[in-house]
Amino acid sequence: MMSRFSLWCRGAGWLAALVLSGCGENFSSSSPIFFEFKQQPGDKYVYKIADEVQWAIVDSAGKVFDTHHVQEQKSVMKFLSIDSLAVRAIDLSFIITYDSILSTTDTVRLKKRKSRVGQKSDLHLRMNPNGRIVAVTSTNPKLTFFYETGYRPSQPAFPEHAIARGYSWTQNFIVNVPGGEPGKVAAEYQFTDFERIGEFDCAVIAFKSELHYVEAYKPKEACVGIADCIGQYDSRTTSVGKLYFAYREGMVVKKENLITTISTMAVKSGDKSAKLSDSEFRDQEKITLVAIYRNSGEKTTFEIE
């Protein structure tokens, strides 16, 4: 399958990138474009991630606890190698640089909460030239699951042919759920438009996805003294947003994404069940390119709104 991609035109991007079919520079707005990764071993791409999160929990008594907070992270993608099948090995890191509660009615949790500034997470990815993730690994299974559910749905695996504005496609993939049955992500993508972002001419890819899964867990208090008691976490997550690709340079410039998770926690014993809480989590996320460090030592910085 990979033989269709020429080595000299092949590239990479964090979520995805694109270049013209044949690597040409001139085209009209109706010309098909071939999406492909472009970064090379030794390159580092630095992004800023800004999150505005609203989280509301309704307990079994009907009491509402809500929290509104903002957070910023620095994310670095380091491209390590390209194998004979053009699969890229990538180290991906996140470090929290800002963390602030704007408001909350959950004063107990607020007192226990510590600042997350400085908290770091690391993942290792293997990715095909068209953006399909071959593997995601980390020392923390929960972190791997977080990436699979929060980031991977917004990264399309591009068609292996040039596509024109207006083209849409779908992709499905399986996510392993700790303590539960594997969940299926169903995602839709569309090449909707062109837009100038900063100094870059970009193609706009709209996306939406949905994941539903049920996870078993052991409640700390709710199952005390109850035989055969298990906790059940039923969750549905949707992602809706846009990706902006600098198609000549072959890199991601910006992503905007609204991630919404609606979930229910309950306990079950035999054929009896009792709801513990309902919750809704909304994360308005914005990712922008900050800097590129080339293997040659060259550094370029950017100011993307």
Side-chain angles (χ1 to χ4, degrees), residues 8 19 30-31 59 68 74-75 85 126 146 157 215 220 223 229-230 236 239 252 262 271 294:
W8 62 275
V19 291
S30 60
S31 298
D59 68 15
H68 183 193
K74 174 184 176 182
S75 178
L85 296 177
R126 290 179 56 78
F146 177 77
E215 179 182 4
K220 293 182 179 180
C223 282
C229 179
I230 61 169
R236 189 175 301 275
S239 294
V252 175
I262 297 175
D271 59 355
R294 300 292 186 189

Side-chain angles (χ1 to χ4, degrees), residues 34-261:
F34 187 65
F35 289 70
E36 194 175 37
F37 287 85
K38 203 170 183 182
Q39 284 89 331
Q40 297 300 311
D43 288 350
K44 290 196 301 183
Y45 280 61
V46 181
Y47 290 84
K48 174 184 175 181
I49 305 176
D51 294 282
E52 182 175 352
V53 177
Q54 293 177 294
W55 190 6
I57 301 175
V58 182
D59 68 15
S60 58
K63 189 174 182 179
V64 179
F65 301 91
D66 58 69
T67 300
H68 183 193
H69 84 268
V70 291
Q71 190 176 91
E72 291 182 3
Q73 299 180 66
K74 174 184 176 182
S75 178
V76 179
M77 291 192 77
K78 184 175 182 180
F79 292 79
L80 305 177
S81 63
I82 305 176
D83 68 16
S84 60
L85 296 177
V87 176
R88 282 170 167 76
I90 305 164
D91 278 346
L92 174 61
S93 67
F94 302 89
I95 185 168
I96 297 174
T97 57
Y98 180 79
D99 182 44
S100 178
I101 296 289
L102 298 183
S103 64
T104 184
T105 58
D106 193 346
T107 55
V108 175
R109 182 173 296 180
L110 180 61
K111 289 179 180 179
K112 295 180 179 179
R113 188 181 189 275
K114 297 179 180 180
S115 173
R116 298 175 183 173
V117 172
Q119 181 177 313
K120 187 176 181 181
S121 304
D122 296 283
L123 292 156
H124 184 75
L125 310 180
R126 290 179 56 78
M127 183 174 61
N128 278 342
N130 70 338
R132 185 175 73 86
I133 300 298
V134 178
V136 182
T137 57
S138 74
T139 57
N140 184 349
K142 291 184 178 180
L143 178 60
T144 303
F145 180 67
F146 177 77
Y147 178 87
E148 294 268 29
T149 57
Y151 286 91
R152 188 176 173 188
S154 62
Q155 173 169 320
F158 290 106
E160 294 184 23
H161 55 81
I163 61 176
R165 183 168 58 180
Y167 184 88
S168 60
W169 70 102
T170 62
Q171 73 183 53
N172 300 316
F173 60 89
I174 301 299
V175 172
N176 291 320
V177 178
E181 295 295 321
K184 181 180 178 181
V185 174
E188 300 177 15
Y189 308 91
Q190 185 176 34
F191 178 7
T192 61
D193 211 345
F194 293 93
E195 189 170 332
R196 183 77 174 176
I197 303 294
E199 61 192 82
F200 302 105
D201 291 321
C202 296
V204 182
I205 307 296
F207 61 84
K208 58 181 179 179
S209 68
E210 182 171 320
L211 166 66
H212 175 247
Y213 67 90
V214 179
E215 179 182 4
Y217 71 101
K218 186 67 175 178
K220 293 182 179 180
E221 298 177 0
C223 282
V224 173
I226 304 176
D228 302 320
C229 179
I230 61 169
Q232 192 173 70
Y233 180 74
D234 190 312
S235 175
R236 189 175 301 275
T237 297
T238 59
S239 294
V240 179
K242 295 179 180 179
L243 295 170
Y244 298 83
F245 297 90
Y247 46 83
R248 293 188 177 92
E249 295 78 5
M251 62 185 182
V252 175
V253 171
K254 184 170 75 168
K255 183 184 84 169
E256 297 171 339
N257 187 15
L258 174 61
I259 304 170
T260 303
T261 298

Side-chain angles (χ1 to χ4, degrees), residues 276-295:
L276 299 180
S277 65
D278 290 313
S279 68
E280 181 173 356
F281 175 91
R282 292 171 58 87
D283 180 359
Q284 185 68 59
E285 178 186 69
K286 182 178 179 181
I287 300 174
T288 52
L289 180 66
V290 173
I292 299 174
Y293 296 80
R294 300 292 186 189
N295 190 33

